[in-house]
């Protein structure tokens, strides 16, 4: 009798306890309902509704911003099939978007279908930030799914409720990213349609912990390489060292660029820029002979002037023109701008400096018939050139950025290192690469060089 009474109490207690556990699930089942077959649209309440997230092809129904034709053409003209991610960009340009196919049926019991105590098929989950994921589980592990937040929706691979692997993020403002993810952050190669203040931009390259690093260039014999030289390439002692122009071959692209080399570094020198003047008092005594030898050996040749904040633009332009040769077929002249922040402030500030720079540019352009090129480093671009939209728009840029990543600007040349090696020249040499391949370089020589 006592055993029966005890057993009855245990059974009743178990039923009460089970009812307490099941009540929330029963209530949840009444709230979840069936997925609605409405189209998913950006900017609507679908980002907050789990049922609409179950639309089987959301990425095909998303209205995103149009790809800027100028940006796309710029990329396609400067790349070929051997560049990293080229196929992905082509697919993106053709309208292909990453899609995640999730079964629209979510079982009510335990909010997911279970087999042998493991979630299988479609299930709802929460990530570490409390966002709802509608995904597909296999052996109790979420491996793909959709997850909305306040600015858009992620569609792609998962690992332990975090974006991991290939995925896309579609933003409510029309932006789009597709590429590799790790631990919930963009990591590795990707393509982004980025909505900037001045319009949409196309960014292609590598990300590190959600930060865009740039495009990793693969160095091959198909690219167009060149050098820039001054008196330092003739030795630093009293006895000058002659450049052996017949032997010129690039044999090393710097420490940071070496990891991105495909094949052997043995590239011809396709162009050379020679320092001519600095300020209004400094001349390169080797300029004339180097210029003559470079042209004699069939190398496309140009000259550059090193900017001084202590002299006016008119004075420096006159000094450069008076001491520099400009012949038919020469490369556009270059203004080398490298002042420090302290030097700029001491000379009256950035606006005053750019007023004088514009005078130099206009004067030299009138004399040579071609627009000069601006040589700057990445820090100068970030701190100063970005505030001069007319210069960024109207002038070609040559950037010094000693990194494994290509600068994220519309550039003509990239100075990728200062520790390169060239057969025929003693010591370190600045190595530069033209932004494009042979057909673009030939078009540049035809349209942009000095005509006299």
């Amino acid at each position: 009798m006592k055993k029966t009474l005890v057993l009855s109490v245990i059974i009743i207690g178990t039923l009460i306890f089970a009812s307490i556990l099941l009540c929330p699930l029963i209530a949840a089942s009444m709230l979840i309902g069936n997925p609605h077959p409405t189209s998913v649209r950006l900017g609507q309440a679908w980002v907050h509704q789990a049922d609409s997230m179950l639309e089987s092809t959301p990425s095909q129904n998303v209205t995103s911003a149009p790809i800027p034709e100028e940006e796309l053409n710029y990329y396609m003209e400067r790349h070929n099939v051997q560049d990293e991610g080229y196929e992905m960009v082509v697919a993106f340009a053709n309208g292909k978007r990453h899609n995640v196919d999730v079964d629209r049926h979510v079982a009510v019991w335990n909010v997911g279908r279970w087999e042998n105590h493991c979630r299988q098929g479609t299930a709802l989950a929460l990530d570490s930030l409390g966002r709802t994921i509608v995904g597909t589980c296999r052996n109790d592990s979420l491996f793909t799914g959709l997850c909305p937040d306040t600015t858009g929706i992620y569609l792609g691979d998962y690992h332990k409720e975090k974006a991991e692997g290939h995925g896309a993020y579609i933003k409510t403002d029309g932006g789009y990213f597709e590429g590799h993810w790790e631990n919930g952050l963009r990591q590795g190669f990707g393509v982004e349609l980025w909505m900037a203040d001045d319009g949409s931009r196309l960014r292609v390259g590598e990300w590190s912990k959600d930060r865009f690093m740039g495009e990793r260039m693969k160095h091959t014999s198909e690219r167009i390489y060149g050098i820039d030289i001054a008196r330092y390439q003739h030795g630093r002692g009293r006895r000058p060292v002659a450049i052996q122009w017949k032997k010129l071959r690039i044999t090393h692209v710097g420490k940071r660029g070496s990891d991105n080399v495909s094949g052997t570094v043995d590239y011809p020198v396709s162009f050379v820029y020679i320092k001519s003047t600095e300020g209004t008092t400094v001349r390169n005594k080797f300029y004339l002979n180097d210029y003559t030898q470079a042209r004699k050996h069939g190398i496309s040749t140009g000259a550059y002037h090193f900017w001084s904040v202590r002299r006016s633009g008119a004075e420096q332009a006159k000094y450069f023109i008076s001491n520099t040769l400009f012949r038919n077929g020469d490369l556009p002249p270059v203004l080398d701008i490298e002042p420090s922040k302290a030097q700029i402030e001491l000379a009256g500030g950035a606006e005053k400096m750019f007023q004088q720079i514009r005078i130099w540019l206009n004067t030299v352009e009138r004399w040579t018939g071609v627009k000069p090129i601006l040589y700057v480093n990445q820090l100068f671009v970030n701190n100063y050139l970005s505030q001069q939209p007319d210069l960024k728009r109207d002038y070609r840029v040559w950037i010094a950025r000693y990194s494994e990543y290509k600068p994220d600007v519309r550039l003509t040349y990239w100075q990728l290192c200062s520790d390169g090696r060239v057969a025929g020249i003693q010591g370190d040499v600045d190595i530069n690469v033209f932004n494009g391949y042979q057909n673009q370089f030939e078009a540049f020589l035809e349209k942009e060089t000095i005509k006299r």
Side-chain angles (χ1 to χ4, degrees):
M1 184 69 178
K2 290 182 179 179
K3 291 182 178 180
T4 304
L5 180 61
V6 171
L7 183 60
S8 299
V9 171
I10 292 174
I11 293 173
I12 294 171
T14 301
L15 291 173
I16 293 173
F17 182 71
S19 298
I20 293 173
L21 292 177
L22 287 173
C23 281
L25 291 176
I26 295 172
S29 67
M30 297 175 65
L31 293 173
I32 289 175
N34 292 324
H36 298 302
T38 55
S39 297
V40 177
R41 296 292 177 186
L42 285 170
Q44 297 178 354
W46 64 272
V47 295
H48 304 295
Q49 299 174 1
D51 52 3
S52 294
M53 288 166 56
L54 297 173
E55 182 69 28
S56 61
T57 55
S59 63
Q60 295 179 8
N61 295 323
V62 165
T63 302
S64 59
I67 304 173
E69 184 176 354
E70 185 181 0
E71 289 276 327
L72 184 61
N73 290 341
Y74 171 77
Y75 179 86
M76 301 303 291
E77 288 174 358
R78 302 293 169 172
H79 295 74
N80 67 22
V81 292
Q82 68 179 333
D83 292 311
E84 183 181 16
Y86 182 83
E87 293 83 359
M88 186 185 295
V89 179
V90 172
F92 176 76
N94 290 332
K96 183 178 180 180
R97 299 293 183 268
H98 185 61
N99 179 51
V100 172
D101 188 10
V102 178
D103 191 340
R104 294 180 58 186
H105 174 73
V106 179
V108 170
W109 297 104
N110 294 320
V111 196
R113 182 166 56 85
W114 293 63
E115 292 180 4
N116 298 325
H117 306 289
C118 292
R119 289 177 297 175
Q120 297 289 343
T122 306
L124 300 183
L126 295 178
D127 66 8
S128 60
L129 299 178
R131 297 173 298 191
T132 302
I133 304 170
V134 179
T136 304
C137 289
R138 183 185 298 146
N139 297 326
D140 206 29
S141 295
L142 181 70
F143 70 92
T144 188
L146 322 173
C147 179
D149 57 26
T150 56
T151 61
I153 184 171
Y154 170 80
L155 313 90
D157 299 336
Y158 274 94
H159 178 66
K160 295 182 179 179
E161 282 69 49
K162 289 189 176 181
E164 186 103 6
H166 192 81
Y169 187 78
I170 308 170
K171 298 188 69 175
T172 55
D173 66 359
Y176 179 82
F177 171 85
E178 181 180 343
H180 189 76
W181 298 70
E182 286 185 14
N183 198 31
L185 301 174
R186 291 174 293 183
Q187 181 77 23
F189 187 84
V191 177
E192 181 182 37
L193 182 60
W194 174 49
M195 309 309 293
D197 293 337
D198 56 349
S200 53
R201 290 278 314 281
L202 185 66
R203 296 203 294 196
V204 179
E206 294 198 9
W207 271 257
S208 177
K209 296 181 179 179
D210 227 30
R211 177 189 174 193
F212 181 65
M213 303 300 295
E215 182 181 357
R216 191 188 298 273
M217 176 179 285
K218 183 66 70 176
H219 298 293
T220 71
S221 59
E222 293 187 20
R223 295 198 179 276
I224 310 299
Y225 293 92
I227 60 175
D228 59 274
I229 59 176
R231 63 181 180 86
Y232 303 108
Q233 277 63 53
H234 292 273
R236 298 178 182 269
R238 293 184 177 180
R239 292 186 178 181
V241 178
I243 294 176
Q244 301 179 55
W245 291 91
K246 291 182 179 181
K247 296 182 178 181
L248 290 193
R249 300 286 294 187
I250 296 172
T251 59
H252 182 59
V253 292
K255 183 178 179 181
R256 294 190 176 182
S258 296
D259 293 338
N260 296 334
V261 171
S262 177
T264 302
V265 178
D266 183 22
Y267 310 144
V269 176
S270 298
F271 62 90
V272 58
Y273 270 93
I274 308 166
K275 181 177 180 178
S276 174
T277 53
E278 177 177 341
T280 59
T281 58
V282 179
R283 290 187 301 166
N284 176 15
K285 64 180 180 180
F286 300 101
Y287 165 75
L288 182 58
N289 184 65
D290 285 345
Y291 173 87
T292 303
Q293 291 298 319
R295 283 185 60 101
K296 178 181 177 181
H297 288 84
I299 302 174
S300 297
T301 308
Y304 73 90
H305 171 80
F306 193 92
W307 178 259
S308 171
V309 295
R310 298 181 178 180
R311 296 290 185 270
S312 71
E315 291 175 310
Q316 294 188 67
K318 180 179 179 180
Y319 189 69
F320 176 65
I321 291 170
S322 300
N323 293 282
T324 307
L325 297 174
F326 305 103
R327 294 178 179 173
N328 187 57
D330 281 349
L331 297 171
V334 168
L335 180 58
D336 183 346
I337 312 171
E338 301 184 48
S340 66
K341 181 178 180 180
Q343 290 173 328
I344 294 174
E345 292 178 353
L346 194 63
E351 285 305 316
K352 182 177 179 181
M353 178 186 67
F354 279 111
Q355 289 175 2
Q356 297 303 313
I357 285 174
R358 287 181 174 86
I359 292 173
W360 190 98
L361 294 171
N362 292 332
T363 303
V364 173
E365 180 179 354
R366 287 195 299 269
W367 180 262
T368 62
V370 296
K371 281 186 176 296
I373 295 175
L374 297 174
Y375 172 94
V376 291
N377 58 41
Q378 187 70 59
L379 188 62
F380 188 88
V381 171
N382 298 341
N383 293 340
Y384 300 106
L385 193 59
S386 295
Q387 282 71 55
Q388 308 296 324
D390 61 316
L391 295 182
K392 289 185 67 177
R393 180 189 65 242
D394 299 335
Y395 289 89
R396 293 180 177 272
V397 175
W398 177 4
I399 283 190
R401 188 189 191 195
Y402 304 151
S403 167
E404 57 189 319
Y405 298 106
K406 184 178 175 181
D408 182 33
V409 294
R410 299 284 189 91
L411 73 162
T412 297
Y413 307 116
W414 171 26
Q415 188 180 93
L416 55 97
C417 74
S418 60
D419 58 342
R421 292 286 176 169
V422 178
I425 300 179
Q426 292 188 12
D428 293 342
V429 183
D430 297 338
I431 306 298
N432 305 274
V433 59
F434 177 77
N435 189 25
Y437 288 90
Q438 186 63 40
N439 55 337
Q440 289 86 23
F441 187 62
E442 291 175 356
F444 172 74
L445 295 179
E446 180 181 350
K447 296 179 181 179
E448 303 297 332
T449 51
I450 294 173
K451 305 295 189 294
R452 288 195 170 181

